[in-house]
Amino acid sequence: MIDEKKRESFGSRIGFVLAAAGSAVGLGNLWKFPYIAGKNGGAAFLFIYIVIIVCIGVTAMMAEVLIGRMGRLNAADTFEKLGGKKWKPVGLAGILCTFIILSYYSVIGGWIVKYFFMSFTDLIEYAGAGKTGEIFGAFVSNPSQVIFYQGVFMLVTALVVLFGIKGGIERSCKIMMPMLFLAMIVLIIRAVTLPGAMSGIEFYLKPDFSKVTSETWLAALGQGFFSLSLGAGAIMIYGSYLPKTENIVSSVKQICFIDTAVAFLAGLMIFPAVFAFGAEPAAGPGLTFITVPTLFAKMSGGVVFAVIFFLLFFVAALTSSISLLECSTGYFVDHGMDRKLATLITAALIFLTGIPSAYSLSGGLKIGSRDFIDAAGYLTDSIMMPLCSMFCCIFVGWVLNRELVKREATSDGKIGFGSFNIWMMMVKFAAPAAILVIFFTGLKW
Ligand code: PHE
């Protein structure tokens, strides 16, 4: 039997905002956004990305938080409780999605752990000698090392989730998120004052729309949903821990703003440096790892800075990975399993599922023309998340009772939501339609 009464909750609204922003801000912003933007033409991609976040992301996130808070269970049981058995598969697909994401997320999380330790020793020296590309290549093509660090990352994630919502997740987010912001500002100042930085700023901020195709739109949609943690049940499960009296609308706006701001700043940190050092903006998954250490080498006190940066980068990834793990764990906890046991079992399974991703970087496993890790990313970001998120919108717009939705969104009329009708139109028609069109025109396996 599912026990709803014992459910934990966040201690405060700011706790929820920071935890959800912690889930949103992660590798998606600091690692993936710059390289996807780099591959898709820079400024034009940035423009489309922002349009998607404002028009679809905010709407869809509100829908997801609302469902979560109404259901107060894990994604699968929430859908069943509110919409009947036929809706359960949407929630299950979301949980499966977080499972797959975390399997490769932990691989990249492991890279950060490795770089954190390397910054104490020889990272800056190599960077000073212009060898960041070589050490990155040597590391990722050594599967046993990659898997070892992936395991370390997974272990730390599991430890935080073990301590539950208030003790682990909320506390760690409150301290680390603001610190990350500050560290990025310092790095941006260094990056934009490098000689040659201007062409990077131009690449990033001066759009050339002739490079835009339907695939650019799908890439931006997938990246937007991945970055906002949408369609995977992660935001939904955090919503289920949000007290009924808190304001969903302003919380969601803040979360989307913070997430987009961090992605934007990550680009501003990376692209000027990429151009100043003559690197390749379309370099792919290694972009952040190759570029940022070179920045440190150009700073006095670079070693200290590198250590702090990789620590914060690690924390950003961790606040996302705990939300990913919480999705599957929460499912088992809701079904009566002991939290510790549920955490350990799911973490171990996810770790094993990630091993092919870790291997694929050394040129091994491929699915079609894509590396395994790339294929897993495409499946989750560009297919599963947009579709699940579309179903969340349809669910709120067409299945749930409009009056109940209004009451939930306004905490029984206590909180103003002037644009409720517009939002309902967006959830009912505009967001699902836009997702479908972008999905079908851009899909290319
Ligand atoms: N949004 C996270 C990031 O940007 C990844 C994530 C996706 C987390 C889905 C939870 C759910 O890194």
Side-chain angles (χ1 to χ4, degrees), residues 278-329:
E280 175 50 58
L287 189 64
T288 302
F289 291 86
I290 293 170
T291 315
V292 173
T294 320
L295 268 179
F296 298 133
K298 300 266 179 211
M299 295 164 78
S300 53
V303 173
V304 180
F305 222 85
V307 170
I308 296 174
F309 175 80
F310 282 109
L311 181 67
L312 293 172
F313 193 2
F314 172 75
V315 173
L318 192 66
T319 51
S320 302
S321 63
I322 52 190
S323 78
L324 287 162
L325 184 58
E326 178 63 23
C327 291
S328 332
T329 305

Side-chain angles (χ1 to χ4, degrees), residues 32-255:
K32 207 164 197 174
F33 178 80
Y35 96 73
I36 301 275
K39 271 192 169 165
N40 287 283
F45 178 87
L46 176 67
F47 178 80
I48 293 174
Y49 180 80
I50 292 176
V51 169
I52 284 181
I53 299 290
V54 173
C55 298
I56 310 179
V58 178
T59 302
M61 187 183 282
M62 260 187 233
E64 206 174 304
V65 176
L66 190 126
I67 299 173
R69 196 168 71 170
M70 268 177 126
R72 302 194 85 68
L73 291 168
N74 65 82
D77 291 306
T78 284
F79 270 110
E80 182 174 353
K81 177 175 161 188
L82 300 176
K85 267 221 154 6
K86 59 178 181 304
W87 279 92
K88 192 170 184 172
V90 177
L92 284 174
I95 294 176
L96 179 67
C97 188
T98 54
F99 193 95
I100 303 174
I101 293 176
L102 189 51
S103 76
Y104 69 84
Y105 207 87
S106 54
V107 174
I108 315 298
W111 296 2
I112 304 174
V113 178
K114 164 81 180 173
Y115 268 67
F116 172 67
F117 288 120
M118 259 199 317
S119 19
F120 286 99
T121 56
D122 46 11
L123 181 65
I124 303 300
E125 245 168 75
Y126 279 117
K131 291 205 174 122
T132 50
E134 281 160 48
I135 46 166
F136 177 76
F139 168 57
V140 296
S141 52
N142 181 344
S144 53
Q145 276 226 22
V146 175
I147 291 169
F148 171 77
Y149 286 105
Q150 175 203 356
V152 174
F153 184 82
M154 226 28 239
L155 196 68
V156 181
T157 304
L159 283 178
V160 180
V161 175
L162 273 182
F163 288 109
I165 293 300
K166 252 189 231 161
I169 299 180
E170 187 169 347
R171 196 180 301 158
S172 49
C173 293
K174 261 190 186 160
I175 311 169
M176 302 290 193
M177 294 286 298
M179 280 173 67
L180 176 72
F181 215 76
L182 281 180
M184 288 181 75
I185 302 285
V186 177
L187 281 175
I188 290 169
I189 294 172
R190 177 67 276 223
V192 298
T193 48
L194 287 166
M198 214 36 222
S199 29
I201 298 178
E202 227 167 74
F203 172 80
Y204 189 47
L205 298 179
K206 210 166 144 200
D208 171 6
F209 288 106
S210 66
K211 296 208 187 97
V212 174
T213 65
S214 52
E215 278 170 59
T216 320
W217 280 89
L218 184 61
L221 183 78
Q223 174 59 26
F225 279 58
F226 179 81
S227 190
L228 290 177
S229 307
L230 289 179
I235 290 295
M236 192 177 292
I237 206 163
Y238 276 10
S240 79
Y241 300 125
L242 181 67
K244 287 278 185 198
T245 46
E246 301 297 352
N247 188 336
I248 292 185
V249 183
S250 59
S251 306
V252 165
K253 284 187 190 154
Q254 283 164 8
I255 297 163

Side-chain angles (χ1 to χ4, degrees), residues 60 87 90 225 231 384-396 427 431-433 435-436:
W87 279 92
V90 177
F225 279 58
M384 294 178 82
M385 299 175 92
L387 289 184
C388 286
S389 192
M390 181 189 78
F391 281 117
C392 288
C393 292
I394 293 176
F395 190 70
V396 170
V427 198
I435 294 172
L436 266 191

